[in-house]
Amino acid sequence: MAADKQKYMPLLLIGDEQEKMILRYLDRSEVWLLSEDGQDCALCAVTDEGSGVLELKNIAVYPEYQRRGFGRELIEFISRYYAEKFSRLRAGTGDSPLTVPFYEKCGFECVRTVKNWFTENYDHPIYECGVQLRDMLIFEKDLEV
Ligand SMILES: CC(C)(COP(=O)(O)OP(=O)(O)OC[C@H]1O[C@@H](n2cnc3c(N)ncnc32)[C@H](O)[C@@H]1OP(=O)(O)O)[C@@H](O)C(=O)NCCC(=O)NCCS
């Protein structure tokens, strides 16, 4: 179901660790929440970027629910739900072994790189698996009705 946005900041911060960056897109995002047995498990936030492009601005699964298919379920849900209105789904992520395999498994391909995105836009260095994130990788996939 569509979610009350600010209320989910703890989960949003798992997907994007700087609140100021989240606030740049949250107002214009549609946020979807996935629950199991009344417990919030995962969410995603998407925006209309024009020209038929839907952008996944944030996707996050609480650690205890990760690697159980919730992330894929959200991707599959928005891919179906928005397929009539949008032709491409885009997602930006760091060059990290925690996220790149996930996007590839979900059918995305890397189409370009934005140099120094993380070092220039975040107020602190972000490390994943001991490696500092610098460039943003842009992944895309087709949406088909
Ligand atoms: C990245 C994230 C959204 C993935 O969601 P998830 O529910 O854990 O992933 P799923 O269980 O749906 O995995 C789907 C597929 O990706 C694979 N995958 C997911 N994370 C992976 C990882 N770290 N390494 C290798 N493969 C991974 C799974 O094995 C699965 O493949 P399979 O179906 O062949 O088994 C989630 O782990 C998360 O919230 N991470 C922290 C926040 C974050 O980094 N968000 C993304 C910001 S760009």
Side-chain angles (χ1 to χ4, degrees):
M1 78 174 100
D4 172 12
K5 299 173 186 177
Q6 288 277 352
K7 189 172 154 191
Y8 296 101
M9 192 54 80
L11 203 35
L12 288 161
L13 283 165
I14 292 173
D16 188 349
E17 63 181 61
Q18 191 170 310
E19 185 167 340
K20 218 158 112 185
M21 295 299 282
I22 294 171
L23 295 176
R24 279 166 58 164
Y25 55 76
L26 193 58
D27 265 359
R28 63 187 184 92
S29 299
E30 287 187 356
V31 177
W32 294 92
L33 179 71
L34 211 160
S35 308
E36 185 184 67
D37 299 330
Q39 294 291 323
D40 298 342
C41 306
L43 65 60
C44 69
V46 293
T47 55
D48 180 348
E49 296 299 311
S51 306
V53 176
L54 180 74
E55 186 160 327
L56 182 67
K57 290 289 189 185
N58 194 314
I59 181 163
V61 180
Y62 276 125
E64 60 270 35
Y65 293 102
Q66 287 176 9
R67 305 297 291 269
R68 287 177 46 191
F70 290 100
R72 182 196 288 278
E73 202 174 323
L74 280 171
I75 299 285
E76 287 177 352
F77 168 74
I78 59 171
S79 297
R80 282 193 309 273
Y81 185 85
Y82 291 99
E84 280 186 14
K85 190 171 169 202
F86 296 90
S87 54
R88 293 283 278 176
L89 178 58
R90 176 184 297 157
T93 187
D95 190 357
S96 161
L98 297 181
T99 53
V100 169
F102 167 71
Y103 286 112
E104 289 174 342
K105 288 277 175 122
C106 290
F108 289 80
E109 56 171 357
C110 185
V111 294
R112 64 190 166 90
T113 300
V114 182
K115 281 276 169 207
N116 300 321
W117 169 264
F118 289 98
T119 46
E120 287 175 2
N121 287 281
Y122 284 76
D123 62 13
H124 62 283
I126 299 176
Y127 289 91
E128 280 186 11
C129 298
V131 177
Q132 186 180 357
L133 301 188
R134 294 183 182 281
D135 303 337
M136 178 161 65
L137 308 184
I138 308 294
F139 281 84
E140 289 189 0
K141 70 172 204 149
D142 285 330
L143 295 183
E144 280 150 19
V145 184

